[in-house]
Amino acid sequence: MYHILYEHDHANRAKALDDNQGRAQLVQDPVVKVAGLKTLILWGHGNSGLFCNLSPGDLADKVKEWKSKNSGIDSVEILTCNSRHAKAGTEPYVDQFKHKLGFFTRRKLTIKSLPVRMGVNGVNGDSILFADYKSKTWCYLTSSESTFHYAKNVFKSVCENMFGDDAIDAAAYLTNTPPHDIRKDALGNAKVGQFLIKCKVNKVEELHASGTVHGWTNVDKFMTDFREMLSIPSFRRAFVTSRPFTLNYGTFDYLRKSLVAV
């Protein structure tokens, strides 16, 4: 049995993840006793300092409060951007959170979050979790700090303007993967896609070097023209392979299965 705590603007996503079974509530709502509760899931905005508007210490206190009323809780699942990534000189949020839990509490819990894909131990890496409650699709995008801004904006623009917020179709388009192969396997089970590439292609190097992509991916006119260029398969392949970034993506019923113990 699980229970979801969500930040106020993540209500639709949390309820979609729960299939509207009533096992979701605002993170600041009072703690309740839930029969058979084993897993506490939290979903909201995150960076290296805050998650669901809670500091690592605040989250540790919140989890301890829930466990005091639900002693059967044995795992905590964290769904957010940047739980595992941080700028140089700072520590990823999940690491801080584990320290604040203390040894005796921590050893009784399995902490799960999205995987580290860029940066040594997550440092000098960046990530964002796109999720659409209507299509029940998600994409976890990670990159180095220097390339994250353009990669995030390009994916967001393609997803919103070309695929109606369907994250699987957008990710499949950018990785040249047939989307039907990602959604279901031969038995009808949900699948997850993974894309990791670090090679460089010279054809679009000048575009990157000019700084145009970094400075203009949030400008509508630029992105309209750029999406037209991306519709050319050779250009699209060259662009997405020219800078290091990763995409993990799938349906909502595979999101929790994509988490790893930390």
Side-chain angles (χ1 to χ4, degrees):
M1 174 66 73
Y2 65 80
H3 197 72
I4 305 173
L5 307 182
Y6 59 83
E7 196 167 359
H8 66 93
D9 58 353
H10 282 58
N12 286 333
R13 278 167 276 193
K15 291 173 183 178
L17 181 67
D18 181 42
D19 286 328
N20 291 304
Q21 296 298 304
R23 295 171 293 192
Q25 68 178 71
L26 283 165
V27 68
Q28 68 265 30
D29 282 352
V31 175
V32 295
K33 187 168 180 59
V34 180
L37 182 58
K38 290 286 189 179
T39 300
L40 194 62
I41 304 169
L42 295 103
W43 198 354
H45 297 290
N47 55 44
S48 60
L50 292 172
F51 168 47
C52 288
N53 206 32
L54 298 172
S55 69
D58 290 338
L59 180 59
D61 291 340
K62 176 74 66 176
V63 169
K64 290 175 183 177
E65 188 179 3
W66 272 87
K67 190 162 175 60
S68 70
K69 287 194 176 182
N70 298 273
S71 59
I73 293 176
D74 59 15
S75 63
V76 176
E77 297 181 358
I78 294 174
L79 294 173
T80 191
C81 315
N82 281 319
S83 63
R84 308 287 305 283
H85 296 93
K87 296 182 183 297
T90 61
E91 188 177 26
Y93 185 95
V94 166
D95 294 344
Q96 300 176 60
F97 165 60
K98 289 174 66 177
H99 296 329
K100 295 294 184 180
L101 277 175
F103 174 74
F104 292 106
T105 302
R106 187 170 68 244
R107 72 174 185 172
K108 298 176 183 178
L109 295 171
T110 298
I111 311 299
K112 293 184 177 182
S113 189
L114 288 159
V116 172
R117 290 297 189 210
M118 303 294 288
V120 178
N121 296 322
V123 176
N124 284 330
D126 217 332
S127 61
I128 189 167
L129 174 62
F130 294 93
D132 178 62
Y133 72 93
K134 292 181 180 178
S135 63
K136 291 188 176 182
T137 61
W138 58 274
C139 179
Y140 177 59
L141 169 66
T142 65
S143 184
S144 63
E145 287 185 74
S146 62
T147 59
F148 183 71
H149 178 71
Y150 93 76
K152 175 182 70 174
N153 285 346
V154 168
F155 183 88
K156 186 173 184 292
S157 179
V158 166
C159 189
E160 292 178 353
N161 293 282
M162 299 178 70
F163 296 103
D165 288 322
D166 190 303
I168 290 179
D169 282 345
Y173 175 76
L174 287 173
T175 58
N176 299 294
T177 305
H180 66 272
D181 290 343
I182 297 302
R183 294 182 188 279
K184 299 288 181 180
D185 63 16
L187 299 177
N189 299 313
K191 295 179 67 178
V192 64
Q194 293 188 18
F195 173 73
L196 171 62
I197 193 153
K198 294 185 178 182
C199 65
K200 292 185 178 182
V201 177
N202 291 328
K203 291 183 180 179
V204 293
E205 284 299 292
E206 290 184 7
L207 178 65
H208 291 298
S210 71
T212 300
V213 174
H214 292 267
W216 288 86
T217 52
N218 60 350
V219 176
D220 289 341
K221 179 63 173 69
F222 176 85
M223 280 310 307
T224 298
D225 294 340
F226 193 70
R227 289 194 302 271
E228 288 188 15
M229 289 297 297
L230 285 173
S231 68
I232 303 171
S234 60
F235 180 87
R236 185 167 71 251
R237 284 192 297 269
F239 178 76
V240 300
T241 59
S242 62
R243 282 295 187 272
F245 66 90
T246 74
L247 297 175
N248 287 59
Y249 48 98
T251 53
F252 268 27
D253 50 8
Y254 209 98
L255 179 54
R256 293 181 60 213
K257 294 177 185 178
S258 300
L259 302 177
V260 297
V262 297

